[in-house]
Amino acid sequence: MDTIDTSNLNRQFLFRDKDVGKSKSQTAADFVNDRVPGVEVTAHMCAIQEKDDAFYKSFNIVICGLDSVEARRWINSQLISLCERDESGEVDLSTMIPYIDGGTEGFKGQARVILPRMTSCYECTLDLLPPQVTYPMCTLASTPRLPEHCIEYVLEKTWSETSNKEDIGDDEKVDGDNPVHIKWIFAKASERANQFGIRGVTYRLTQGVVKHIIPAIASTNAIIASACTNEALKLATLCSSSMDDYMLYNGNEGIYTYTYRNEKRAACPVCGTPPPVQMTISPDTTVEQYRESLAEDPRFLFKNASLRMAGKTIYLPNVKMIEEATRPNLAKKMSELVPDGAELIVTDHRAYKGIAISVKISYKKE
Amino acid sequence: MGLEKIRAEVVSQIIAELNPEVQGSFLASDPDEVLESSPTFLERFNFIIASNMKPQSLKKLAQFCWDKDKVLIIVRSYGMIGYIRLVSKSHDIVEAKLDQDIDDLRLSNPWPNLQAFSDEQDFSKMEMKEHSHTPYPAILIKALKQWREKNGKNVPASRDEKEAFKESIKDLALSFYEEENFQEAYNKYFQAIQPSEIPQSVQDVFEDELCKNLNANSNDFWFMAAALKQFVANEGQGTLPVQGRVPDMHADTDRYIKLQTLYRRKARNDVNSVRTHLGQLLKTHGKQSESISDSDLKDFCKNACYLRALHFRSYQDELSSPNKSEIRNHLMNPESAMPHYVMFRAADRFYEKNNRFPGDDNSNLEADAAELHKLVKDLLNEYEVEDGSVGDIFDSHVKEMVRYGACELHNISSLIGGVGGQELIKLCTKQRIPLNNTWIYSGITSHSCTFEA
């Protein structure tokens, strides 16, 4: 899975030169076990989605330092689905596992406490998210997908590794306002995009990416990590009350923090009681086009949706055999498979655990 | 690990581990003794971080740093509460890296080449594709020129005139709702009617005593600031040098690059003018003209509208003449972390009297609380906080402070360490804007407050 790269060393302070190439989780666990006597950390090297309910039930508190919205949504829905209510509808506290989440970007960061079914959850505030714009180096190096990945790669690697660049001195730093620099990066990124069969590298996009490099900073990680640890300590020992429930940190101009309570959303598909979603689509929409629309639709943001109806699977991407069996459906029209007014069960196994959204489909009359 | 070892030794070892190219060393001595018998040790450093120091020693160290012009960062981790105070006589910033860029494209007063570029765009001869990829600055300059010819005035001023100007942008489009560049021009119409202004923070730099009174010991920032000021008064005709930065916009590559090149060329010319002033100033003060590099001056001019100079109050001033109105204002806000500041001051007075912090041995908790409460009352009187205006919130703060007994919690320490680290990065890179000057954090509510103490 995730292994240590030289570029991690400046901010991921549990790792040393000798650790480059090793597993991140194992190295981090070994480091803490070694440095803090009496603590026992167990590393698991797998995707969070691979673990079952029993695994997550074994924890009292979950702290996350995840790198994507999708993974956060998944762990959120997992922990909420484990939280039960008794006959009177009260939350059964013995099944409630607090979820503490943190994230950083440059000099900014955030920390948050989610008490399943009691406070707002990650999904409740999904619409407040800005679009994500940073990419991990491993993606850039080995699995570029977007034109942005090609540009970032040239910026991070090719620029410094290429000497005798045309009209550019070897010591020159990238200047986003210098057309000579942008042209050079644009050319190299286009080459790389061609290699990977990626389309869409343009001069404009190149410039946009070059000018939005957000550095990752060790001290911001320390701030957010300790804010999360602080909340965990308070929840575990009850030595003090918890943060209520979200803290924003910005160190760009002076030091600014803002701590406020997010509202629980009654219609939240994960922790609330959502009204049925109504969608009216063209009868010519193919299953594939419909799935693509779910990736863009802010109510879903499902990049990898699975579609079911009572007694019938339309498309299921996460089980190999069923995927193969249902793949031919992708090219079919929705109206051939889903009757007008029928209820469709939609989910994304990478974003939701044990939760699905029911959608009532109707077709536009021609 | 590290039990029974010298703290300084363990800390320097662990920090050095993080970067094999950095050399660390330590001196395990009482800071009072170092200040008294070998102050030259401290003179070697540019930045001094005082972590959880005794109040009396801290005062001495702060005085030393002030006298020797050293940057002092005071950090405290005290139970669930954290504190950071920065002291630097003056701190100058070239790269403020604000969250929001300032775009100053000189559209209301284009220089001849920029005007010519806009004039060259002949909409009547363009097909849709070319028309809809004309950069918006060219559109705005054209629209403004037309408006001027029609109205015989310089810029639209009244509300009606502004509306009419906006509509005239729509009229230039072939199909406004299909042409994103025209929509961009329409949405940014104010860029065409706003004169290029010098931000207050930059005017403050120009009016700073350090800018007005250059001498041979002035640093590069102030030489460049003084040269910039002369540029503004002469060639710039009241404006800063052109930034040379063109924001992203809907345009074809060709014309976008053309526009970029125009701005860069103008920026370069402006830098050259500033260079001339700078050369004169350096010469007047007996310095080599090359002592400031072209690339430093270029960065300086590019960031001209972001320049800032901060002057911090000294720690001694803070103690002898506290910023009462700031303290009172923050105390009015029930969510403010300001009460913790008052608690720190009270705890320090307690220490100066008893040579220990309240609650640090479990035997006198009640007596300590009573004494601390009295000290808080005195402080509130000194800050001229009206009796009753803060209610009895301090009762619980006193209890909490005594409960902490000046203990240091690892989670609060690492948070404060991280924040201190960020501030140190900002101070030594002179990028972004450091705290001025005090930050108080509550690990209970996660609220914090910033103020000038």
Side-chain angles (χ1 to χ4, degrees):
Chain A
M1 291 295 293
D2 216 355
T3 54
I4 298 163
D5 187 83
T6 316
S7 63
N8 299 142
L9 296 178
N10 72 337
R11 61 183 180 278
Q12 300 180 0
F13 42 75
L14 302 182
F15 306 146
R16 304 286 175 265
D17 277 338
K18 64 176 170 48
D19 299 322
V20 170
K22 291 187 194 161
S23 145
K24 276 189 185 174
S25 54
Q26 190 60 53
T27 309
D30 291 347
F31 188 96
V32 176
N33 286 333
D34 190 43
R35 179 147 287 173
V36 194
V39 168
E40 196 184 313
V41 181
T42 309
H44 297 269
M45 282 166 282
C46 61
I48 51 170
Q49 290 92 344
E50 284 171 32
K51 296 290 185 187
D52 59 11
D53 283 357
F55 176 79
Y56 287 104
K57 270 186 193 164
S58 70
F59 295 96
N60 297 105
I61 297 174
V62 171
I63 308 176
C64 287
L66 295 165
D67 66 350
S68 74
V69 172
E70 199 176 54
R72 286 187 170 92
R73 287 176 86 185
W74 190 90
I75 199 83
N76 178 64
S77 62
Q78 165 73 71
L79 295 175
I80 284 169
S81 69
L82 291 180
C83 180
E84 290 164 14
R85 292 183 189 277
D86 61 21
E87 304 83 42
S88 59
E90 292 294 312
V91 172
D92 176 357
L93 289 181
S94 68
T95 61
M96 189 196 66
I97 304 167
Y99 162 31
I100 300 169
D101 187 71
T104 72
E105 193 179 85
F107 280 71
K108 298 180 194 172
Q110 53 176 49
R112 174 170 190 176
V113 177
I114 293 170
L115 305 176
R117 301 205 191 278
M118 301 183 73
T119 66
S120 68
C121 79
Y122 188 75
E123 194 81 13
C124 288
T125 55
L126 201 60
D127 53 343
L128 301 178
L129 289 176
Q132 286 193 307
V133 284
T134 48
Y135 316 102
M137 191 63 212
C138 42
T139 305
L140 304 184
S142 41
T143 57
R145 293 180 301 271
L146 305 172
E148 283 90 339
H149 294 157
C150 304
I151 299 162
E152 283 271 24
Y153 183 85
V154 173
L155 208 53
E156 304 266 3
K157 289 263 181 189
T158 324
W159 179 272
S160 57
E161 285 171 6
T162 312
S163 43
N164 302 321
K165 295 184 277 281
E166 220 181 288
D167 293 325
I168 301 168
D170 282 351
D171 297 330
E172 272 188 69
K173 281 185 286 177
V174 177
D175 176 355
D177 294 304
N178 185 336
V180 178
H181 289 193
I182 301 294
K183 271 183 177 167
W184 190 88
I185 295 167
F186 173 38
K188 292 286 170 195
S190 305
E191 270 176 41
R192 187 169 169 79
N194 282 335
Q195 263 175 40
F196 284 92
I198 296 168
R199 281 163 48 166
V201 174
T202 62
Y203 184 87
R204 230 184 108 184
L205 185 71
T206 307
Q207 176 151 21
V209 173
V210 172
K211 291 169 109 176
H212 287 101
I213 310 167
I214 299 164
I217 297 164
S219 44
T220 315
N221 292 354
I223 295 165
I224 296 305
S226 31
C228 291
T229 312
N230 187 36
E231 295 309 317
L233 178 83
K234 289 190 288 181
L235 281 166
T237 64
L238 299 177
C239 72
S240 174
S241 54
S242 286
M243 170 205 295
D244 185 19
D245 53 9
Y246 181 95
M247 178 184 73
L248 184 112
Y249 182 93
N250 187 346
N252 270 344
E253 294 175 43
I255 305 172
Y256 173 80
T257 69
Y258 183 46
T259 303
Y260 64 95
R261 180 190 303 177
N262 279 301
E263 291 304 318
K264 214 165 154 19
R265 196 154 58 92
C268 171
V270 174
C271 76
T273 41
V277 177
Q278 313 268 357
M279 283 178 98
T280 308
I281 58 174
S282 155
D284 294 331
T285 312
T286 64
V287 172
E288 185 158 23
Q289 286 167 339
Y290 178 70
R291 287 183 75 238
E292 279 165 12
S293 76
L294 295 178
E296 302 288 318
D297 192 323
R299 291 173 294 184
F300 303 92
L301 299 175
F302 289 160
K303 289 184 198 137
N304 205 11
S306 64
L307 312 175
R308 279 184 296 122
M309 278 169 54
K312 181 159 138 194
T313 301
I314 309 288
Y315 183 70
L316 197 82
N318 52 316
V319 182
K320 193 164 174 272
M321 265 175 55
I322 307 181
E323 195 279 329
E324 282 168 5
T326 54
R327 198 185 299 159
N329 284 345
L330 288 176
K332 293 185 188 158
K333 287 181 183 170
M334 286 288 284
S335 50
E336 289 172 39
L337 299 163
V338 184
D340 195 37
E343 206 170 277
L344 195 63
I345 313 288
V346 178
T347 191
D348 178 339
H349 71 285
R350 300 202 69 83
Y352 276 4
K353 172 66 189 288
I355 288 169
I357 300 180
S358 81
V359 181
K360 196 175 164 200
I361 298 283
S362 46
Y363 296 102
K364 281 183 199 147
K365 306 285 180 288
E366 291 307 311
Chain B
M1 69 175 275
L3 279 183
E4 308 293 328
K5 282 194 199 157
I6 298 167
R7 255 176 190 244
E9 181 179 4
V10 176
V11 168
S12 82
Q13 243 174 37
I14 290 178
I15 292 179
E17 246 181 53
L18 292 173
N19 186 344
E21 283 167 36
V22 170
Q23 293 246 318
S25 61
F26 68 94
L27 173 70
S29 284
D30 185 322
D32 287 344
E33 275 172 31
V34 176
L35 271 173
E36 215 143 286
S37 56
S38 50
T40 44
F41 171 79
L42 286 168
E43 282 181 36
R44 304 183 343 217
F45 301 98
N46 302 96
F47 301 92
I48 294 172
I49 301 172
S51 162
N52 279 0
M53 271 179 74
K54 285 188 254 172
Q56 300 96 318
S57 313
L58 181 58
K59 280 185 193 168
K60 286 183 209 158
L61 179 67
Q63 185 67 53
F64 170 86
C65 290
W66 190 257
D67 294 342
K68 300 285 179 186
D69 212 358
K70 304 286 180 198
V71 177
L72 175 66
I73 303 174
I74 304 168
V75 295
R76 299 179 75 169
S77 164
Y78 196 115
M80 297 293 284
I81 310 300
Y83 166 96
I84 293 186
R85 164 76 151 102
L86 305 186
V87 196
S88 171
K89 265 189 185 161
S90 101
H91 177 74
D92 45 75
I93 303 160
V94 176
E95 293 179 73
K97 295 186 184 278
L98 303 182
D99 280 335
Q100 201 72 46
D101 277 330
I102 301 172
D103 287 324
D104 178 4
L105 296 174
R106 306 298 156 90
L107 303 182
S108 65
N109 188 20
W111 64 96
N113 286 344
L114 181 60
Q115 181 67 56
F117 174 76
S118 168
D119 292 343
E120 280 164 27
Q121 311 301 319
D122 187 350
F123 289 159
S124 65
K125 289 189 180 138
M126 286 182 192
E127 297 289 332
M128 183 62 174
K129 190 174 175 204
E130 194 183 355
H131 198 266
S132 63
H133 285 86
T134 306
Y136 85 83
I139 301 173
L140 283 177
I141 293 170
K142 202 177 270 295
L144 186 64
K145 192 177 176 185
Q146 281 184 5
W147 189 91
R148 281 174 178 161
E149 282 163 2
K150 198 171 145 197
N151 294 275
K153 288 187 190 171
N154 190 27
V155 283
S158 73
R159 202 184 151 146
D160 286 347
E161 285 173 344
K162 284 179 188 171
E163 281 306 315
F165 174 66
K166 275 176 86 174
E167 290 311 305
S168 77
I169 299 168
K170 272 189 181 171
D171 294 340
L172 284 173
L174 286 175
S175 166
F176 182 72
Y177 292 100
E178 284 173 60
E179 295 186 289
E180 290 186 68
N181 55 335
F182 279 87
Q183 292 166 24
E184 218 164 31
Y186 183 83
N187 291 331
K188 297 187 176 186
Y189 79 97
F190 55 88
Q191 290 188 359
I193 61 179
Q194 225 168 31
S196 167
E197 279 174 353
I198 299 180
Q200 187 58 47
S201 48
V202 181
Q203 292 182 34
D204 291 345
V205 168
F206 290 158
E207 292 311 309
D208 202 296
E209 292 303 315
L210 295 174
C211 187
K212 290 182 181 166
N213 306 309
L214 281 190
N215 61 59
N217 295 323
S218 297
N219 71 18
D220 292 356
F221 178 91
W222 293 110
F223 270 103
M224 291 191 279
L228 186 70
K229 189 179 177 183
Q230 292 189 358
F231 170 88
V232 171
N234 296 287
E235 299 91 334
Q237 299 173 5
T239 63
L240 295 170
V242 163
Q243 293 168 303
R245 185 174 59 78
V246 179
D248 190 24
M249 62 186 68
H250 291 277
D252 44 51
T253 308
D254 256 14
R255 280 181 291 172
Y256 183 73
I257 292 182
K258 224 176 235 173
L259 195 64
Q260 260 189 329
T261 311
L262 272 175
Y263 276 93
R264 288 180 64 80
R265 210 169 277 159
K266 172 69 172 146
R268 200 168 54 217
N269 288 342
D270 286 353
V271 174
N272 288 340
S273 306
V274 180
R275 178 95 238 173
T276 311
H277 293 295
L278 181 62
Q280 277 299 327
L281 288 168
L282 288 167
K283 201 171 149 199
T284 311
H285 292 94
K287 298 186 103 172
Q288 295 287 322
S289 170
E290 306 81 55
S291 65
I292 294 176
S293 73
D294 283 342
S295 103
D296 281 354
L297 185 66
K298 197 178 127 203
D299 282 345
F300 189 87
C301 292
K302 188 175 179 174
N303 288 291
C305 64
Y306 303 111
L307 300 177
R308 265 178 217 223
L310 302 178
H311 297 282
F312 292 78
R313 281 186 88 204
S314 72
Y315 189 60
Q316 302 82 302
D317 280 353
E318 172 187 345
L319 296 182
S320 59
S321 58
N323 193 343
K324 297 174 190 172
S325 61
E326 274 273 290
I327 295 172
R328 283 198 301 265
N329 285 343
H330 280 275
L331 285 176
M332 300 297 281
N333 169 5
E335 287 195 336
S336 169
M338 181 57 82
H340 302 297
Y341 174 78
V342 181
M343 292 315 304
F344 270 122
R345 287 283 153 266
D348 283 359
R349 287 192 179 178
F350 185 102
Y351 192 101
E352 285 172 27
K353 255 174 84 186
N354 302 297
N355 218 24
R356 64 178 181 84
F357 281 111
D360 70 344
D361 80 60
N362 277 326
S363 53
N364 321 308
L365 296 184
E366 271 177 39
D368 283 5
E371 188 176 348
L372 189 61
H373 207 283
K374 167 89 181 42
L375 292 167
V376 169
K377 272 213 131 140
D378 294 346
L379 277 164
L380 292 175
N381 274 334
E382 287 167 35
Y383 299 150
E384 293 164 40
V385 176
E386 271 175 58
D387 259 353
S389 71
V390 290
D392 31 82
I393 55 163
F394 279 98
D395 292 351
S396 54
H397 285 302
V398 165
K399 276 189 206 140
E400 220 18 39
M401 205 68 175
V402 172
R403 177 165 84 114
Y404 298 152
C407 72
E408 203 182 317
L409 298 176
H410 62 288
N411 44 311
I412 301 297
S413 294
S414 81
L415 190 139
I416 298 303
V419 177
Q422 275 199 349
E423 292 310 303
L424 183 60
I425 292 173
K426 293 193 274 181
L427 286 166
C428 57
T429 59
K430 299 201 169 184
Q431 291 179 344
R432 298 188 166 79
I433 300 163
L435 162 76
N436 186 5
N437 55 32
T438 297
W439 186 65
I440 311 282
Y441 167 78
S442 157
I444 300 170
T445 59
S446 209
H447 285 291
S448 77
C449 104
T450 293
F451 80 111
E452 191 172 4

